[in-house]
Amino acid sequence: MNINEQRRRLVGAMGLLGLSGCVAVPTSAGPALAPWQPGQLDIHHLAIGRGSATLVILPDGTSLLIDAGASANATDVSVATRPGPQRRAGEWIARYAQRHLAPTGGRGLDYLLVSHLHPDHLGDVAPGLPRSGRGDYLLTGVMDVAEQLDIGTLIDRGFPDYRYPGAGIERAPFAANYRAYVAARQAGGGAVQRFEAGTDRQFLPRGRRPVDGRFAVRNIAVNGEVWTGRGDERRSTFPDPATLPDRDRPSENMCCAAVRIESGPFRYFTGADLTSDTFNGDPPWRDILGAAARAAGPVDVATADHHGLYDGVSADVARTLRPSAWVIPTWHISHPSLQQLEHMFNERLYAGPREVFATEVMHENALMHRRLMQKLRSTRGHVIVRVEAGGERFRMLVTDNADESDRVIYESAPFRSGALKPA
């Protein structure tokens, strides 16, 4: 009996996938994740328990970390830090990246993208955090990663002044701490850039390993600007915030940076916390996730943005993206919402098989959504997209987040890239 058959039988015996906390066989039953190989595209959705962090290794070995969340929420509403409390979330993220970047030959991260200014994406502040010796800021999230790993270029949605859209979040303690890190980085000669919608030349390959075939990172949307699909052209979808009452200004989530990553025919989309809900009568321009999804077009794998919450994956977004696999970055008691799960699984919205994964679902949420939780392939563990050289096929894998062994606890059959793209 092979390992996947062992997993399937165990999952069937469990009945409810969420009851045990994860869809998994014991750690000892799985092999360690095979290292990245030149030509592969690897996308790791980390299950650290305190927010979002996604490590991307492009086919030539170029590396990109999207966010490094470190929420300070209490464990009655949030997952405890994984693998354990011995280290801060950002330290665990840095250690994970170090392990998996070793085969690339890189000494650190080529790029770190901060999608927006929220604690579960860049790091919260709380009493007792250590202060960096490199500047006047506390170590948490992104700052912890930067303390342990060299970062070639830091890119975020708001640099250099962070005043758009004028909601004042740039003055919040967690955002002020991050901005102090940015200032110290600049003072030390480190590269910092503003994310530019439309281009596919901001995350340039470093060429560490020779590879055949095309791969790229396309910047789809940020701050209400959305790629048109023509060259580097972009269009503005938000009204001028100065013309709006405060309650109607775009939220921080609506300003997130979104990217499409491609290798050959394979396509992946993530929009961090972009939202698609128009709240029963709000102006259509507030459906920024819908606009970004239409720009990205059908993809093979997508994240359920805003953690699969009520304002995340609308029916139209699911119908537009049509992925073979959804990944939900979950860590809070509210992640995910029932209606968004319905949209991901609904074959009336788009036909064909699909697999849905969550990085870690709290027990209370799993009980509430028991009916659909039984359909998830994973409710706990690092979720990895592994795309073969050339991009024609990919697999979904889950590794144990209880320690740093990187033991595989689920591996899908191969998917053919582009299989669900026709309407």
Side-chain angles (χ1 to χ4, degrees):
M1 185 186 302
N2 64 32
I3 187 169
N4 278 334
E5 183 59 26
Q6 293 176 26
R7 295 186 189 108
R8 292 187 187 103
R9 293 191 181 188
L10 180 63
V11 167
M14 286 163 53
L16 173 63
L17 306 189
L19 283 179
S20 71
C22 62
V23 182
V25 290
T27 301
S28 60
L33 179 70
W36 171 89
Q37 297 290 327
Q40 285 179 184
L41 166 63
D42 278 4
I43 305 172
H44 299 246
H45 305 84
L46 277 60
I48 302 299
R50 308 306 292 172
S52 294
T54 304
L55 176 67
V56 181
I57 307 176
L58 295 171
D60 72 332
T62 300
S63 58
L64 162 64
L65 180 65
I66 304 174
D67 292 332
S71 167
N73 283 1
T75 54
D76 59 341
V77 294
S78 293
V79 177
T81 304
R82 307 293 189 200
Q86 304 92 337
R87 303 179 191 277
R88 296 182 297 278
E91 293 179 300
W92 287 122
I93 293 167
R95 289 168 64 89
Y96 186 102
Q98 285 173 325
R99 292 198 306 277
H100 293 281
L101 292 178
T104 70
R107 298 182 59 185
L109 288 163
D110 294 308
Y111 301 97
L112 198 163
L113 169 62
V114 177
S115 65
H116 65 300
L117 304 181
H118 274 166
D120 58 322
H121 293 259
L122 59 78
D124 209 346
V125 293
L129 289 175
R131 189 167 296 276
S132 174
R134 303 178 184 181
D136 187 19
Y137 55 88
L138 301 175
L139 295 180
T140 175
V142 166
M143 286 59 69
D144 261 325
V145 172
E147 200 80 1
Q148 296 192 41
L149 290 174
D150 291 336
I151 297 170
T153 305
L154 175 70
I155 300 172
D156 67 35
R157 75 147 199 89
F159 182 79
D161 57 30
Y162 301 96
R163 288 182 293 182
Y164 184 88
I169 196 169
E170 73 279 3
R171 297 189 295 274
F174 54 83
N177 188 63
Y178 169 74
R179 291 173 60 205
Y181 157 66
V182 172
R185 178 178 172 83
Q186 280 188 283
V192 187
Q193 297 177 6
R194 185 184 182 95
F195 185 92
E196 299 178 14
T199 185
D200 65 354
R201 296 189 299 277
Q202 191 158 30
F203 299 95
L204 291 172
R206 299 301 190 192
R208 290 198 175 83
R209 299 287 188 270
V211 295
D212 296 326
R214 182 182 182 276
F215 61 92
V217 179
R218 171 72 68 176
N219 294 0
I220 296 295
V222 71
N223 297 328
E225 294 186 331
V226 180
W227 182 45
T228 66
R230 297 184 294 271
D232 290 350
E233 187 178 281
R234 60 196 180 196
R235 63 186 177 90
S236 179
T237 66
F238 291 170
D240 181 350
T243 67
L244 300 171
D246 287 347
R247 64 180 176 83
D248 287 341
R249 289 179 186 268
S251 68
E252 184 66 21
N253 284 340
M254 293 173 65
C255 294
C256 283
V259 297
R260 187 183 72 186
I261 300 172
E262 51 198 85
S263 176
F266 174 85
R267 301 288 185 273
Y268 165 90
F269 172 79
T270 183
D273 283 1
L274 287 181
T275 58
S276 60
D277 191 283
T278 53
F279 298 100
N280 300 320
D282 276 4
W285 61 264
R286 297 185 71 87
D287 178 13
I288 182 59
L289 177 55
R294 289 188 290 276
V299 297
D300 299 290
V301 180
T303 56
D305 290 335
H306 202 199
H307 315 283
L309 277 170
Y310 65 97
D311 56 357
V313 181
S314 68
D316 183 60
V317 166
R319 186 185 297 113
T320 299
L321 292 175
R322 314 171 61 81
S324 300
W326 291 96
V327 181
I328 318 173
T330 49
W331 57 271
H332 191 267
I333 195 170
S334 61
H335 304 161
S337 296
L338 184 62
Q339 186 177 43
Q340 278 54 48
L341 286 173
E342 294 273 13
H343 293 161
M344 286 178 253
F345 283 114
N346 190 341
E347 292 196 35
R348 290 178 181 267
L349 296 177
Y350 67 98
R354 76 287 310 266
E355 296 191 353
V356 180
F357 302 81
T359 51
E360 184 150 2
V361 177
M362 290 189 70
H363 184 71
E364 295 83 353
N365 188 291
L367 289 176
M368 180 180 293
H369 300 148
R370 179 185 298 257
R371 176 174 59 87
L372 290 178
M373 281 292 152
Q374 296 180 72
K375 295 185 176 184
L376 266 67
R377 290 297 188 191
S378 172
T379 60
R380 179 174 172 182
H382 308 298
V383 181
I384 298 133
V385 187
R386 174 153 283 178
V387 186
E388 295 180 3
E392 295 290 340
R393 302 198 314 170
F394 67 97
R395 293 178 184 267
M396 303 296 298
L397 302 102
V398 181
T399 59
D400 198 347
N401 69 340
D403 54 34
E404 295 185 296
S405 66
D406 296 315
R407 292 286 178 179
V408 176
I409 55 178
Y410 175 80
E411 181 176 352
S412 75
F415 290 91
R416 180 169 62 87
S417 300
L420 294 182
K421 289 183 180 178

